[in-house]
Amino acid sequence: MNRLMVWLPLGFFVILVGFFFRGLSLNPNEQPSALIGQPVPVFELTDLMTGERLTREQLPRQPFLLNVWASWCITCQVEHPYLTQLSKQIPLVGLNYKDTEIAAKNWLAKLGDPYALQIFDPTGRLGLDLGVAGAPETFLVDSKGVIHLRIQGEVNDRIYAKKVQPVFEMIQ
Amino acid sequence: MKKNIMIACLLSVSLCLHAAIETYQFDSPEQEARFRQLGYELRCPKCQNQAIGDSDAEISGDLRAEVYRMLKDGATDEEIKEFMVARYGRYVLYNPPLDKHTLILWFGPAVLLILGGIFVGLRIRQSKKALEGIDPQI
């Protein structure tokens, strides 16, 4: 009994330290999305490139990446070459978020357009329904339109291999 | 002289840097109070420790506008919070409701305090017992 009383607080302390230590390595900016397992929200917007009406039904019928970007977003420019390369393996749908048509088109003309579809969302309405906090964000959506993963910030080789690929292989 | 002109220029520039202040028109003082309260209870998804009511982040402005729109449409506070949680997760609630996910959050500290109290109590009793065993004459 006596010995237990001596070690119990220490054990407790070690457990707490373990929790705090884990907390140190968590990124507080990475929030779990509330939309995991949910379908892409209903929307009625236009295609940035053609100006035609665009709804949820026109999204690809196979797993794809929904990339939220804007011409004012520096990180989007950083991840753009990688996404371009990635678009050869997995369809890429763009969600042009709180941008202007001219700036967005110029951006694509300058850096290249790897997107299969480009949803134009100048007011950020669909962004809000998706729980987007800022650009870039990337969602992995399956063939039925259900969201499986959300990456906040840049998608690169490391993030793709670690987070996206395992889920992508699972839903394929 | 050049330096003085430059300083004068810099000072005049800084005078122009006012933060954008939104103006919302409310139907009643109650509605305005609810708007302020919600702005205080909803957390900015982009900035860790700020409510949307006192954050300059773009997204906070969007969420404030959404809260305003919903208030005008006659939504209840609960409906507005549910709307935000459905999109941004429980994270947006600065005042989390008591349910099975938040039990530790609400009762964890109290449980720790009670456990600590029991422990200290037992220790005191033990040391008292130990003291009783000692002959005070020595």
Side-chain angles (χ1 to χ4, degrees):
Chain A
M1 180 64 190
N2 240 334
R3 189 158 287 182
L4 186 73
M5 290 299 262
V6 173
W7 290 107
L8 200 68
L10 185 67
F12 205 68
F13 177 72
V14 168
I15 291 171
L16 274 183
V17 166
F19 270 110
F20 292 143
F21 193 74
R22 175 85 187 102
L24 279 179
S25 62
L26 290 176
N27 180 359
N29 287 315
E30 248 174 51
Q31 292 306 320
S33 169
L35 277 100
I36 302 300
Q38 307 268 349
V40 172
V42 176
F43 64 89
E44 194 177 334
L45 293 163
T46 53
D47 185 310
L48 174 74
M49 306 317 281
T50 64
E52 281 166 23
R53 182 175 168 271
L54 206 55
T55 64
R56 189 166 71 164
E57 282 62 47
Q58 278 142 283
L59 292 174
R61 299 263 180 246
Q62 53 172 311
F64 67 93
L65 287 177
L66 178 64
N67 175 239
V68 182
W69 70 280
S71 63
W72 45 259
C73 151
I74 305 296
T75 314
C76 300
Q77 211 161 323
V78 174
E79 70 172 0
H80 192 262
Y82 186 71
L83 288 180
T84 305
Q85 189 192 322
L86 208 58
S87 67
K88 288 168 192 136
Q89 307 163 37
I90 173 166
L92 196 59
V93 173
L95 174 58
N96 182 244
Y97 175 67
K98 303 195 73 172
D99 209 344
T100 61
E101 192 182 333
I102 296 171
K105 281 184 173 168
N106 282 343
W107 196 87
L108 289 172
K110 198 174 100 194
L111 298 168
D113 180 5
Y115 297 95
L117 263 181
Q118 192 66 258
I119 310 164
F120 184 45
D121 185 18
T123 62
R125 180 72 240 179
L126 177 56
L128 202 142
D129 284 341
L130 277 165
V132 168
E137 283 193 19
T138 305
F139 295 83
L140 178 61
V141 184
D142 72 10
S143 55
K144 293 196 177 83
V146 175
I147 296 168
H148 282 263
L149 186 72
R150 189 254 306 255
I151 305 288
Q152 288 183 304
E154 181 194 352
V155 174
N156 54 33
D157 216 358
R158 192 175 51 85
I159 300 275
Y160 185 81
K162 194 175 150 201
K163 295 189 171 163
V164 185
Q165 201 161 24
V167 186
F168 179 54
E169 277 166 10
M170 196 187 72
I171 61 174
Q172 238 183 349
Chain B
M1 188 58 199
K2 248 188 183 172
K3 207 173 167 188
N4 283 342
I5 292 174
M6 216 158 86
I7 289 170
C9 287
L10 284 174
L11 283 175
S12 65
V13 165
S14 66
L15 287 176
C16 305
L17 290 175
H18 290 297
I21 294 169
E22 302 144 341
T23 47
Y24 288 115
Q25 298 292 325
F26 295 96
D27 299 335
S28 64
E30 288 77 39
Q31 197 179 48
E32 186 172 354
R34 284 174 60 207
F35 179 79
R36 288 194 191 290
Q37 183 61 27
L38 283 165
Y40 182 69
E41 278 184 30
L42 292 169
R43 187 178 182 183
C44 163
K46 192 77 186 169
C47 15
Q48 290 305 302
N49 298 314
Q50 267 183 314
I52 62 167
D54 65 1
S55 157
D56 277 334
E58 175 103 14
I59 185 69
S60 293
D62 289 358
L63 295 187
R64 280 195 298 272
E66 194 60 33
V67 168
Y68 176 73
R69 194 190 60 74
M70 290 184 79
L71 276 175
K72 280 276 184 179
D73 281 354
T76 65
D77 291 0
E78 284 315 304
E79 281 167 345
I80 294 174
K81 284 185 201 169
E82 268 169 35
F83 175 93
M84 293 298 173
V85 170
R87 283 155 183 79
Y88 289 94
R90 296 164 166 279
Y91 174 85
V92 292
L93 297 180
Y94 253 142
N95 187 6
L98 179 58
D99 61 29
K100 66 178 195 295
H101 300 281
T102 54
L103 276 179
I104 290 185
L105 194 63
W106 281 96
F107 296 114
V111 168
L112 282 182
L113 191 68
I114 291 167
L115 283 179
I118 292 173
F119 179 77
V120 170
L122 285 176
R123 288 295 290 191
I124 289 172
R125 215 198 262 173
Q126 247 179 10
S127 49
K128 263 190 187 159
K129 253 187 211 157
L131 275 178
E132 276 162 17
I134 298 170
D135 186 353
Q137 294 290 317
I138 303 169

